[in-house]
Amino acid sequence: MARLDIRRLFKSVLQEIRIFFNKQKWEEILIFLCFALLSAGFWYLESLQEEYEIEIEMPVKYKNVPRDVILSDDHPQNLSVRIRDKGTVLINYMWFNSFSPVEVDMKDAHTTKDATISVEKRTVESAISRQLISSTSLLRIEPSAIQVDYTKLMQKDVTVQADVDFQAEPGYHIAGAILVNPAKVHAYAVPTILDTLHIIKTAPVELKHTRKTVTLTVRLEPIPNVRMEPEKVEITIPVEEFTEKRLQIPVRCRNMPDNYNLRVFPSSVEVICNIPMSKYKDLENSDVEIQIPFQEFDANRASGSVPIRLTKYPEWIINPLINPGTVEFILEKKT
């Protein structure tokens, strides 16, 4: 029964709606609304023929700013311009026009003695008027003239450091130093900042699962109140497959006095080198040295053993291992 009542109620509502729209009075209301809208449209078009005043914003662009010049914080970014014209013209300005910036040329900033660049009111008005149609009246510009104060900066060459988080594929490593080009950049700042500036880092670079040499162009990390030239550098990360090579290196004593005899057991140790494949044939025993100072032998005379370390080896050897890590010795004074 409840479902039948709902259906009857729904049909009744639909029937009443049809009756309402079929009445002659509703048609008259629609006709009235159409004429009202047309009247409003004609009135709006007529009102647009009257003159009005509006304010528009025009951007200011500073071009040819020398690297060794920094503008003051209060230099104008926009000009407030008040104009008068017919409503149709003003709507075009507001809705469809994109104004070009008023340009301030700073190319002569480094030659002026008073550290100020000024653009006269007449020049500003001329730059704005060129973007307005002839019927538009230019009433006011705020500020009427542009004056820019600036500070002359000092220059210093600063070393660039690559900020690289690198992980190669298993069996691959960085084959040598990461190259930065240029290795130094020009930094412009006030002397108090330059005195403490010794390194400029690149933006962080993350490389995962790499198995070949990578060259990237990277931005320098921004430093407050410092300008850099160039703002980007090229970094090269040499990546190569590595292999193992074993060498027998003699243990020698450095600065051995003539009145002492030294015997080392064993006299040579094995050095296990992890090196780039391209360097396998180049690596020789003479490229690796173990030179332990006499003072260390003398200091460890009681124990008769001394730890071993490499004192010379190419930078492209990764984590060299020495076997054994200590050697025994006998140090005797000649009679």
Side-chain angles (χ1 to χ4, degrees), residues 12-55:
S12 175
V13 171
L14 285 177
Q15 187 175 3
E16 289 181 6
I17 292 173
R18 289 194 193 97
I19 294 171
F20 176 78
F21 278 100
N22 288 331
K23 288 182 179 180
Q24 184 70 22
K25 289 183 178 179
W26 177 249
E27 293 179 359
E28 293 175 355
I29 292 172
L30 286 176
I31 294 171
F32 171 78
L33 289 175
C34 288
F35 278 105
L37 288 173
L38 285 172
S39 299
F42 285 124
W43 173 83
Y44 181 68
L45 291 174
E46 183 67 25
S47 65
L48 289 179
Q49 300 306 310
E50 300 292 331
E51 287 196 343
Y52 299 92
E53 295 180 7
I54 63 168
E55 287 201 6

Side-chain angles (χ1 to χ4, degrees), residues 34-299:
C34 288
F35 278 105
L37 288 173
L38 285 172
S39 299
F42 285 124
W43 173 83
Y44 181 68
L45 291 174
E46 183 67 25
S47 65
L48 289 179
Q49 300 306 310
E50 300 292 331
E51 287 196 343
Y52 299 92
E53 295 180 7
I54 63 168
E55 287 201 6
I56 57 176
E57 293 284 326
M58 281 196 173
V60 180
K61 178 183 178 182
Y62 299 89
K63 66 176 185 178
N64 298 322
V65 179
R67 287 286 182 182
D68 60 348
V69 164
I70 185 169
L71 305 183
S72 62
D73 293 336
D74 58 351
H75 64 279
Q77 299 289 333
N78 294 284
L79 298 177
S80 179
V81 181
R82 190 164 189 84
I83 56 176
R84 181 194 294 132
D85 209 328
K86 290 182 179 181
T88 50
V89 177
L90 298 182
I91 284 179
N92 181 64
Y93 285 141
M94 291 187 296
W95 290 358
F96 306 109
N97 239 13
S98 179
F99 294 102
S100 300
V102 176
E103 294 187 342
V104 179
D105 196 338
M106 300 289 295
K107 65 181 178 181
D108 296 324
H110 62 286
T111 61
T112 57
K113 296 180 179 179
D114 56 358
T116 300
I117 289 288
S118 298
V119 182
E120 298 178 351
K121 178 179 179 181
R122 180 174 53 188
T123 304
V124 175
E125 288 179 349
S126 176
I128 294 174
S129 297
R130 284 196 296 268
Q131 302 188 58
L132 304 175
I133 66 175
S134 57
S135 63
T136 303
S137 299
L138 182 57
L139 304 178
R140 187 183 71 248
I141 305 172
E142 192 64 38
S144 58
I146 299 175
Q147 181 169 306
V148 185
D149 296 327
Y150 64 88
T151 303
K152 184 73 179 295
L153 304 177
M154 301 299 291
Q155 184 260 323
K156 176 182 178 181
D157 289 345
V158 183
T159 301
V160 179
Q161 185 181 82
D163 185 1
V164 179
D165 181 9
F166 175 83
Q167 289 184 8
E169 288 279 358
Y172 291 78
H173 295 278
I174 295 180
I178 296 175
L179 303 178
V180 181
N181 185 32
K184 292 186 176 183
V185 296
H186 302 313
Y188 298 92
V190 295
T192 52
I193 294 178
L194 289 183
D195 289 343
T196 59
L197 185 62
H198 304 294
I199 289 176
I200 295 176
K201 289 188 176 183
T202 66
V205 176
E206 185 175 348
L207 293 173
K208 305 292 184 182
H209 310 298
T210 305
R211 55 192 303 168
K212 63 181 181 179
T213 298
V214 179
T215 299
L216 301 170
T217 299
V218 186
R219 283 191 170 275
L220 299 176
E221 196 71 10
I223 300 175
N225 301 316
V226 177
R227 285 187 177 177
M228 305 166 201
E229 186 180 36
E231 296 178 346
K232 296 180 181 179
V233 296
E234 188 178 80
I235 61 174
T236 300
I237 306 165
V239 180
E240 195 173 334
E241 187 176 3
F242 272 55
T243 189
E244 184 178 280
K245 188 168 185 176
R246 297 170 181 257
L247 304 173
Q248 283 295 132
I249 305 299
V251 178
R252 294 190 170 92
C253 177
R254 188 170 69 243
N255 301 326
M256 179 78 176
D258 294 336
N259 59 336
Y260 276 88
N261 286 324
L262 175 67
R263 286 179 288 173
V264 179
F265 310 96
S267 60
S268 64
V269 295
E270 183 182 50
V271 178
I272 304 170
C273 304
N274 198 15
I275 62 174
M277 292 279 287
S278 62
K279 300 288 186 181
Y280 189 85
K281 293 182 179 180
D282 297 336
L283 182 62
E284 298 179 354
N285 284 23
S286 58
D287 297 322
V288 180
E289 287 185 359
I290 298 175
Q291 294 270 6
I292 306 302
F294 171 78
Q295 291 81 359
E296 293 188 24
F297 286 104
D298 193 31

